Amino acid sequence: MSQLQRPARNFFRVKCGAAMLLTVCLFLSAQAQELFSPNRNFRMVFQLDAGGQPGYELFYKGKAIIRPSRLGLELKNDSFSLTSGFVVADSARGSVNDSWTPVWGETKTVADHYNELALTLEQPRARRKILIRFRAFDDGLGFRYEFPTQPNLVYFVIREEKTQFAMTGDHTAWWIPGDYDTQEYDYTTSRLSEIRGLMKQAITPNASETPFSPTGVQTALMLKTADGVYINLHEAALINYPCMHLNLDDRNFVFESWLTPDARGDKGNIQAPAVSPWRTIIASDDARDILASKMTYNLNEPCKLPETSWIRPTKYVGVWWEMISGKSTWAYTDEFPSVVLGKTDYATAKPNGRHGATTANVKRYIDFAAKNGFDAVLVEGWNVGWEDWFGHMKDRVFDFVTPYPDFHVQELHEYAQAHHIKLIMHHETSSSVRNYERQLDTAFKFMKQNGYDAVKTGYVGNILPAGEYHYDQWMINHYQYVVEKAAAYHIMVNAHEAVRPTGIARTYPNMIGNESARGTEYQAFGGSKPNHVTILPFTRLLGGPMDYTPGIFEMDLSKADPNNHSHCNSTLANQLALYVTMPGPLQMAADFPENYERFMDAFQFIKDVAVDWDDSKYLEAEPGKYITAARLAKGTGNWFVGSVNGDSSRLSSIGFGFLAPGKKYLATVYADAPDAHYKTNPQAYVIRRYIVTRESRLRQLCAPGGGYAISLFEAKPEDLKEVKPLK
């Protein structure tokens, strides 16, 4: 996302100095201060209570959506902490009305419009101060803690952040269990009062998991009030700070921040000057506004990369689903129960015959990618060490430069280059983080020497050094280090099992993808709920795009591996729609080439659909039930529509008012057949073609777990003769 020259900000300041303005300062500290959003739909009220504890309320269209809630931080080995005893020492207000141009994204430009209130709070007894900065946007509120340079607050340790979000009732929530190590859970839909009783069954097995509370949940948390207001709680710009969870007081319906501890149990080692991440509240009475919000990105810094032409949105295939489904293996041989890098002799080992990352197999994927207009091929299991890679807390588990005997790096580099295809490197770390950091420069140099411009990183298993968690401050800094180091080598990063994104891709747009949620792979691990993809855009995707790996056409996994009885809980049409409803600059066609070759008429949509956009419109939305989105492909006049459906069949009804006036379009509709069902008849689809204009309307049946996708190209004269208008 390219950095723009910003116009001068029109801030006016209300200062409270020393003795001269003491009376004014005392008045300010005693009175509530208000902040309105530019459209005045949001009103935030800040005040200190009798004990000097800071707090806030938030109103939307005149109704409270956050009741009085406390702010502050409890410090370790500190007799005062940063929770009370404050007076207001300074107040500054301002506003910004600006826009910026992303390197990639859902829109060509992003509006950045907010009003700001920055309050400096002083603790007279401790002789120190902090600043709380609020920004009110038309889609919600962000606030953070700031720790300026001062003698009495330099190095300090957070015992717990005490930020509260007091709900106004027993709202409906779409939640996953709070966990220090994984976000790969199916979502549960329940009332807040039901979370405790449902927590045990919501926690499902994972390679690394550390739940912490019977009422702890993760952000982004989606909520809906009884009177139809949608509320989303999250954070933005998570830098050098632990990931925030939310712990619920289910008697009073108050969420309080719960930071991820490190190996010592500490929840943040801070050196001033410093800032916390932004705490965000996005709200609307229209669910579509939540999906369209860019507030999370706007609370991040502009792009810090001096040049971004090397960052390219990518559509790819890969040697991945073979191993996930059980058809192939990452490992080269079955002969080694133990591997020692540099000593184990693979040259004499007997191949297991099921290794996926062979030169011949990768060439097959390169041929398929080139034939069908894809950009790249991902290869997993190419490097030695996969025989004993998981579950042993092994430090030197991979070296990221040594291939198996049947994977010829230079030959494949030349073959891919001749076919105008890029290869995507895979760096699974097995969560041996020190091992990866020791080798980063060597690994990235190897990538550049062999034509790899993008890397998929992985952090499966418990973190090594032992005691650290996937989402503690130490690991947050590691993920950031990898992204910044990769940028120095002009390498794009797609991180799996890392922390969920918080809009940092605005600042470092080489972070083109993350997993950080339950992705398509779980369809091969027993299946995900059919409405899962109708929730993710309201939660996980608010902070950045997901490498969800859609495009599965064969839902019966036993056809890949007779021992795998999983079922992909989606119709084929639903899989097509995901390329539009879950947007991102990195999109995979995840299934086997031979499965696509069985359904080439449906595969045409995946070939056509864009991965970068100039405009986006949300046509229908209700979390857990349905999402319908329309997007304008970057630099073209071509639109694409995707609609994903939840558990029950429904009739979608959309207009085409987003189309250019006075033009006619050829619409190709890929939809569920009348008898389609995600479980019993997932491959039943129909393809219809219509001529449409901005006045047209479509009514389309969506099956359970189904949906539809539409490509819209400006009609040619022959189209107008051969295809009937949509009525």
Side-chain angles (χ1 to χ4, degrees):
M1 301 175 184
S2 60
Q3 187 170 4
L4 297 178
Q5 292 291 327
R6 301 175 70 92
R9 299 187 175 198
N10 180 26
F11 281 90
F12 71 87
R13 300 178 64 84
V14 180
K15 291 279 191 181
C16 291
M20 177 179 208
L21 293 178
L22 180 60
T23 305
V24 177
C25 289
L26 291 173
F27 173 79
L28 285 173
S29 65
Q31 298 296 315
Q33 299 199 43
E34 295 183 328
L35 178 68
F36 287 88
S37 61
N39 63 8
R40 300 189 70 83
N41 281 345
F42 289 93
R43 179 170 67 96
M44 188 281 299
V45 180
F46 172 88
Q47 60 184 353
L48 297 175
D49 68 13
Q53 169 99 47
Y56 75 103
E57 298 176 76
L58 185 62
F59 299 82
Y60 173 68
K61 294 185 177 180
K63 292 184 179 180
I65 57 171
I66 302 292
R67 294 187 291 110
S69 300
R70 294 178 178 177
L71 299 170
L73 300 102
E74 182 182 350
L75 304 187
K76 182 179 179 181
N77 301 325
D78 187 286
S79 58
F80 295 103
S81 276
L82 297 171
T83 55
S84 61
F86 286 105
V87 296
V88 176
D90 190 6
S91 175
R93 294 181 180 271
S95 62
V96 166
N97 190 358
D98 199 0
S99 65
W100 51 278
T101 302
V103 173
W104 47 259
E106 297 178 50
T107 57
K108 190 173 183 178
T109 60
V110 176
D112 187 12
H113 191 192
Y114 61 85
N115 294 328
E116 179 174 287
L117 172 64
L119 295 162
T120 299
L121 307 182
E122 184 177 346
Q123 275 185 320
R125 291 182 61 197
R127 293 183 297 168
R128 63 191 180 189
K129 58 188 176 181
I130 65 171
L131 187 147
I132 304 179
R133 188 179 303 275
F134 296 90
R135 287 182 182 171
F137 298 79
D138 286 345
D139 40 353
L141 178 74
F143 59 89
R144 73 179 182 188
Y145 304 96
E146 300 183 8
F147 312 103
T149 301
Q150 57 195 298
N152 293 330
L153 192 67
V154 183
Y155 292 95
F156 58 96
V157 178
I158 298 173
R159 184 187 298 276
E160 187 60 87
E161 183 182 319
K162 308 300 285 185
T163 302
Q164 291 184 341
F165 306 86
M167 300 292 100
T168 59
D170 190 9
H171 303 334
T172 298
W174 291 265
W175 58 275
I176 55 175
D179 196 297
Y180 300 152
D181 280 306
T182 187
Q183 293 125 4
E184 296 178 351
Y185 292 118
D186 246 327
Y187 281 86
T188 298
T189 304
S190 77
R191 296 284 189 177
L192 296 179
S193 59
E194 298 170 326
I195 290 177
R196 184 184 297 272
L198 294 170
M199 182 61 71
K200 186 176 180 180
Q201 68 190 63
I203 299 172
T204 50
N206 194 274
S208 178
E209 61 179 13
T210 312
F212 61 83
S213 165
T215 59
V217 297
Q218 299 195 43
T219 72
L221 176 67
M222 190 68 199
L223 302 153
K224 186 179 181 181
T225 70
D227 55 352
V229 176
Y230 302 87
I231 303 170
N232 187 279
L233 306 179
H234 193 27
E235 63 181 325
L238 175 57
I239 300 282
N240 192 23
Y241 201 89
C243 172
M244 180 183 74
H245 308 274
L246 298 172
N247 200 42
L248 176 66
D249 170 355
D250 52 357
R251 290 187 177 181
N252 298 300
F253 305 132
V254 176
F255 286 107
E256 188 166 282
S257 56
W258 183 290
L259 304 181
T260 306
D262 63 16
R264 296 179 301 277
D266 297 333
K267 296 194 172 187
N269 291 273
I270 309 299
Q271 178 185 355
V275 298
S276 77
W278 296 89
R279 280 58 187 102
T280 63
I281 306 163
I282 302 171
S284 178
D285 49 16
D286 187 333
R288 297 175 297 176
D289 294 337
I290 307 297
L291 299 175
S293 173
K294 293 293 174 285
M295 194 178 87
T296 309
Y297 285 102
N298 280 329
L299 289 167
N300 279 264
E301 293 296 317
C303 179
K304 290 188 175 182
L305 305 184
E307 199 271 321
T308 59
S309 63
W310 52 275
I311 299 172
R312 294 177 299 275
T314 299
K315 195 188 303 183
Y316 73 106
V317 296
V319 185
W320 174 76
W321 191 241
E322 290 189 21
M323 287 81 80
I324 294 297
S325 65
K327 177 184 178 183
S328 302
T329 69
W330 287 273
Y332 171 74
T333 180
D334 296 334
E335 291 191 334
F336 299 148
S338 173
V339 170
V340 179
L341 296 180
K343 295 183 178 180
T344 300
D345 185 6
Y346 282 93
T348 61
K350 179 183 177 181
N352 60 25
R354 296 181 294 115
H355 183 221
T358 68
T359 301
N361 197 32
V362 174
K363 283 184 176 180
R364 183 171 71 95
Y365 279 85
I366 291 172
D367 291 342
F368 181 80
K371 180 181 178 181
N372 292 285
F374 285 77
D375 304 302
V377 173
L378 165 72
V379 186
E380 294 197 11
W382 66 275
N383 56 328
V384 298
W386 286 91
E387 286 72 20
D388 70 341
W389 73 283
F390 173 73
H392 307 297
M393 297 295 285
K394 184 178 179 181
D395 188 17
R396 293 195 68 242
V397 60
F398 294 114
D399 71 5
F400 313 106
V401 295
T402 306
Y404 281 122
D406 58 354
F407 186 85
H408 301 130
V409 174
Q410 185 60 31
E411 181 181 344
L412 285 169
H413 169 45
E414 293 172 357
Y415 192 83
Q417 193 173 43
H419 287 75
H420 306 288
I421 295 295
K422 286 286 187 179
L423 293 177
I424 300 175
M425 179 64 72
H426 181 229
H427 289 169
E428 176 55 60
T429 68
S430 191
S431 285
S432 180
V433 178
R434 291 179 306 189
N435 180 57
Y436 192 38
E437 289 191 355
R438 285 194 297 261
Q439 300 184 67
L440 264 183
D441 283 295
T442 300
F444 286 163
K445 288 175 183 176
F446 178 82
M447 285 180 59
K448 297 304 288 187
Q449 290 165 0
N450 292 283
Y452 294 88
D453 297 326
V455 61
K456 173 183 176 181
T457 60
Y459 297 88
V460 175
N462 294 328
I463 297 295
L464 192 65
E468 304 293 347
Y469 297 108
H470 279 76
Y471 311 141
D472 67 17
Q473 184 182 21
W474 195 84
M475 282 303 297
I476 299 305
N477 289 341
H478 165 78
Y479 303 134
Q480 189 65 28
Y481 175 72
V482 172
V483 169
E484 294 185 30
K485 175 70 75 170
Y489 284 91
H490 285 193
I491 288 173
M492 299 178 287
V493 177
N494 169 27
H496 281 230
E497 294 88 31
V499 71
R500 76 285 189 276
T502 57
I504 292 169
R506 178 188 179 185
T507 313
Y508 294 94
N510 64 311
M511 196 169 84
I512 62 169
N514 289 78
E515 182 191 38
S516 308
R518 187 181 179 97
T520 298
E521 64 184 358
Y522 278 84
Q523 299 284 19
F525 303 159
S528 295
K529 294 177 182 177
N531 73 338
H532 185 57
V533 295
T534 68
I535 300 172
L536 284 173
F538 286 100
T539 53
R540 161 64 184 76
L541 269 70
L542 288 182
M546 181 178 177
D547 184 29
Y548 186 71
T549 61
I552 303 304
F553 279 14
E554 179 50 71
M555 314 304 172
D556 182 355
L557 275 297
S558 69
K559 293 183 178 179
D561 175 10
N563 297 315
N564 188 346
H565 302 292
S566 300
H567 182 87
C568 180
N569 294 321
S570 165
T571 70
L572 192 150
N574 177 285
Q575 290 289 309
L576 298 181
L578 293 173
Y579 291 92
V580 183
T581 61
M582 298 187 65
L586 182 73
Q587 292 284 7
M588 186 182 196
D591 211 337
F592 310 147
E594 54 267 34
N595 286 337
Y596 291 133
E597 287 164 352
R598 293 164 54 200
F599 305 100
M600 287 303 292
D601 56 351
F603 185 62
Q604 185 63 44
F605 182 82
I606 298 178
K607 293 169 62 175
D608 290 339
V609 70
V611 294
D612 197 13
W613 311 99
D614 275 339
D615 198 6
S616 294
K617 306 293 183 184
Y618 289 95
L619 310 180
E620 302 175 302
E622 181 65 23
K625 294 185 178 180
Y626 53 84
I627 297 171
T628 306
R631 306 191 194 277
L632 175 62
K634 179 76 74 178
T636 76
N638 305 329
W639 284 84
F640 295 87
V641 176
S643 183
V644 290
N645 193 37
D647 300 344
S648 305
S649 62
R650 78 175 192 98
L651 187 65
S652 171
S653 179
I654 64 168
F656 293 88
F658 52 85
L659 296 176
K663 290 188 176 182
K664 296 182 179 181
Y665 293 78
L666 176 64
T668 304
V669 181
Y670 304 79
D672 294 323
D675 57 346
H677 190 283
Y678 75 89
K679 200 72 171 179
T680 59
N681 202 11
Q683 294 170 326
Y685 65 91
V686 293
I687 302 176
R688 300 188 180 96
R689 300 167 76 209
Y690 305 102
I691 298 298
V692 301
T693 67
R694 61 184 288 117
E695 285 77 32
S696 302
R697 289 201 66 84
L698 175 71
R699 291 166 61 85
Q700 179 61 55
L701 180 68
C702 299
Y708 61 90
I710 308 173
S711 62
L712 292 141
F713 301 96
E714 191 170 349
K716 299 175 182 178
E718 56 268 29
D719 298 328
L720 299 175
K721 294 178 181 178
E722 298 172 3
V723 182
K724 295 181 179 180
L726 176 65
K727 296 182 180 180

